[in-house]
């Protein structure tokens, strides 16, 4: 019995690993060259090579699947974990790992329920990122200059939008042609939104103030391009306000949730974009009428107010009668006041011109004596202040320790030195101020005195008694004339001859004694020099 078993084992063929793997591959590929498998997508991997690796599973089994790079770029449905799909392809083996896999050539959602499940999943993901928040939505411009439309150029949608804009308020429209259905829909719509945002304001191509993404109605599969994640993210990233008008009122896509405003139809989108021009004109006219009525009412109210105020005001003649009478009274007093002022100024000038150098020197000497007396009084006062300070410091020295006393003495000495310096500066400043006043008075005396006038070419004419002659008649009636020039005195009359300058000895005969002068009025001091007045 054992002999027959050994013969049977020795007659069985032997295969290498590669041979048996190849035989299994040929059998599987020959039997399952083209299959359609329905299942749920499990693990999905997108390596940098561009291929897609995934698992198809049901409640009991799992099959590995691969989508080569060329096929993956053409698929309309992007593989997502948890999506129920129908995969079409062929079975093959992978000898390197002793497993079989499905090479997928086509991938489609397994019915309406799978699409809705995938849409709900995307919706939840985008909502979690905050793309549906109301705070992100931008207000629409009231009257946009340029409107960008992303839609098909050959459909009825663009005609409806243009017709509605023409009826309401004509605006400039830029059309970005895209496919609104099929696998090219999503990328072209996303590029259209991004392209309008990339335009520069003020460039050769005007940048739209508003974007409308529009498409007519259709089934869920027809509108699926507007449910793609790439379209939703492009609409959310748009800096230009965006209106979505995809499908009819009952159709809802992902772009409706991320757009700034949703319109139920493309025609409604045009209505949201611009106001009615006729309504605006009517509103402007109404506002103009309201403004006119308000202005008229305001003017009438102000006129009534002015009339009420005018009744409380006195007559204009009554307001001007008192000032007019006061003006007449003051105008009558003005000439006399001017003459009195001129006379007072003459007297003041005469008094200032009558100053004598000796008087000024006396005043200056008196001021010097007074300042010297003040300076002699200042030194004892300072000595007394210093003694009192020293006594106070000595009293405190008995009660304080040596170190604080030393510091206090230094501080008191510094204060005393500062006080002495301030006294000295004050005294010098007062002396300088008084000296300046005296010098200014001396300059004024020189300026106002008649000597300066004589140096300018004038002469002082007196009669024999020393009275100033101010007219030709008085000079003609005088018996003798005494004319004083800047360089000397000239006597004319009986026995008169030219006199030398003031202070010089006369070279001619001595002038006879003149008649005694008239006595001065009581309380007046006879002037020592003449007056030009």
């Amino acid at each position: 019995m054992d002999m027959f078993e050994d013969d049977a084992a020795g007659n069985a063929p032997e295969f290498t690993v590669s041979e048996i793997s190849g035989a299994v591959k040929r059998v599987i590929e020959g039997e399952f060259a083209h299959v359609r498998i329905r299942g749920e997508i499990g693990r999905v991997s997108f390596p940098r090579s561009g291929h897609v690796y995934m698992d198809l599973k049901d409640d009991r089994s799992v099959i590995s699947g691969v989508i080569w790079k060329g096929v993956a770029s053409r698929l309309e449905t992007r593989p997502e974990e948890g999506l129920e799909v129908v995969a079409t392809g062929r079975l093959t083996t992978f000898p390197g790992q002793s497993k079989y896999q499905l090479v997928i050539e086509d991938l489609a959602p397994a019915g309406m329920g799978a699409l809705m499940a995938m849409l709900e999943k995307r919706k939840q993901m985008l909502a979690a990122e905050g793309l549906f928040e109301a705070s992100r939505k931008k207000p629409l411009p009231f009257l946009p200059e340029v409107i960008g439309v992303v839609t098909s150029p050959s459909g009825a949608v663009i005609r409806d939008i243009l017709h509605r804009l023409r009826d309401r308020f004509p605006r400039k429209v830029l059309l970005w042609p895209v496919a609104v259905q099929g696998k090219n829909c999503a990328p072209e719509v996303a590029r259209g939104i991004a392209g309008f945002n990339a335009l520069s304001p003020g460039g050769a191509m005007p940048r739209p103030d508003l974007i409308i993404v529009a498409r007519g109605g259709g089934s869920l599969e027809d509108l699926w391009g507007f449910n793609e994640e790439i379209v939703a993210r492009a609409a959310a990233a748009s800096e230009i306000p965006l209106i979505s008008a995809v499908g009819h009122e009952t159709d809802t896509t992902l772009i409706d949730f991320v757009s700034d405003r949703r319109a139920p139809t493309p025609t409604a989108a045009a209505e949201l974009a611009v106001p009615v021009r006729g309504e605006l004109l009517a509103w402007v006219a109404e506002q103009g009428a309201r403004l006119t009525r308000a202005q008229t009412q305001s003017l009438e109210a102000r006129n009534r107010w002015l009339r009420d105020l005018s009744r409380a005001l006195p007559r204009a003649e009554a307001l001007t009668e008192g000032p007019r009478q006061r003006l007449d009274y003051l105008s009558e007093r003005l000439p006399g006041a001017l003459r009195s002022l001129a006379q007072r100024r003459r007297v003041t000038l005469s008094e200032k011109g009558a100053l004598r150098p000796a008087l000024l020197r006396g005043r200056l000497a008196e001021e010097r004596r007074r300042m010297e007396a003040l300076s002699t009084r200042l030194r004892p006062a300072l000595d007394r202040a210093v003694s009192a300070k020293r006594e106070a410091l000595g009293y405190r020295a008995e009660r304080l320790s040596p170190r604080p006393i030393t510091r206090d003495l230094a501080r008191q000495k510094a204060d005393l030195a500062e006080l002495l310096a301030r006294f000295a500066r004050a005294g010098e400043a007062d002396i300088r101020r008084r000296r300046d006043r005296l010098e200014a008075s001396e300059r004024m005396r020189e300026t106002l005195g008649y000597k300066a006038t004589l140096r300018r070419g004038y002469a002082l004419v007196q009669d024999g008694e020393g009275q100033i002659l101010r007219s030709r008649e008085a000079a003609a009636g005088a018996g003798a004339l005494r004319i004083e020039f800047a360089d000397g005195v000239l006597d004319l009359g009986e026995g008169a001859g030219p006199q030398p300058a003031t202070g010089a000895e006369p070279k001619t005969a001595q002038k006879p004694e003149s008649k005694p002068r008239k006595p001065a009025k009581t309380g007046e001091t006879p002037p020592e020099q003449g007056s030009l007045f």
Side-chain angles (χ1 to χ4, degrees), residues 77-91:
T77 303
R78 178 180 174 85
E80 295 182 10
E81 186 176 351
L83 178 63
E84 187 176 2
V85 295
V86 176
T88 303
R90 57 187 177 84
L91 281 177

Side-chain angles (χ1 to χ4, degrees), residues 205-237:
M205 181 67 69
R207 189 172 190 256
D209 302 317
L210 180 67
I211 297 176
I212 298 177
V213 180
R215 187 204 187 282
S219 63
L220 179 62
E221 290 81 1
D222 296 337
L223 303 179
W224 190 255
F226 298 93
N227 288 322
E228 294 292 345
E229 182 180 351
I230 184 175
V231 175
R233 293 192 180 278

Side-chain angles (χ1 to χ4, degrees), residues 224-355:
W224 190 255
F226 298 93
N227 288 322
E228 294 292 345
E229 182 180 351
I230 184 175
V231 175
R233 293 192 180 278
S238 175
E239 296 179 357
I240 303 174
L242 186 142
I243 299 176
S244 64
V246 179
H248 296 301
E249 187 171 359
T250 57
D251 299 324
T252 303
T253 57
L254 278 181
I255 193 174
D256 295 332
F257 295 99
V258 297
S259 62
D260 299 307
R261 289 289 295 274
R262 176 186 179 272
T265 60
T267 303
E271 294 176 357
L272 290 174
V274 294
V276 180
R277 186 171 182 271
E279 293 179 358
L280 281 181
L281 292 176
W283 179 82
V284 171
E286 181 183 356
Q287 297 301 315
R290 289 181 60 188
L291 180 61
T292 302
R293 288 195 301 270
Q295 290 177 344
T296 304
Q297 294 174 0
S298 177
L299 289 176
E300 291 177 355
R302 291 177 181 272
N303 287 332
R304 289 194 300 270
W305 181 61
L306 287 177
R307 286 195 298 270
D308 294 341
L309 291 179
S310 63
R311 284 195 293 268
L313 291 175
R315 294 181 299 104
E317 295 79 3
L319 293 175
T320 58
E321 286 174 356
R324 189 177 298 165
Q325 184 177 2
R326 189 163 55 253
L327 178 61
D328 295 339
Y329 173 70
L330 293 177
S331 61
E332 292 177 358
R333 293 180 58 191
L334 182 60
L338 290 176
R339 287 191 295 272
S340 177
L341 178 62
Q343 184 62 29
R344 288 198 302 272
R345 293 296 174 88
R346 287 193 189 98
V347 172
T348 303
L349 186 59
S350 300
E351 292 176 353
K352 290 184 177 180
L355 293 176

Side-chain angles (χ1 to χ4, degrees), residues 148-153 174-178 188 191-196 199:
V149 180
V150 181
T151 188
S152 173
L174 289 180
L175 174 63
W176 193 291
V178 297
E188 290 185 4
R191 284 196 298 270
I193 297 173
F196 277 138
L199 294 177

Side-chain angles (χ1 to χ4, degrees), residues 378 382 415-429:
L378 179 61
L382 291 177
D415 294 343
L416 182 60
E418 176 66 20
L419 184 61
L420 291 174
R422 289 175 60 186
F423 274 129
R425 288 194 298 269
E428 293 174 358

Side-chain angles (χ1 to χ4, degrees), residues 174-187:
L174 289 180
L175 174 63
W176 193 291
V178 297
V180 294
Q181 185 175 339
K183 61 181 181 180
N184 294 328
C185 173

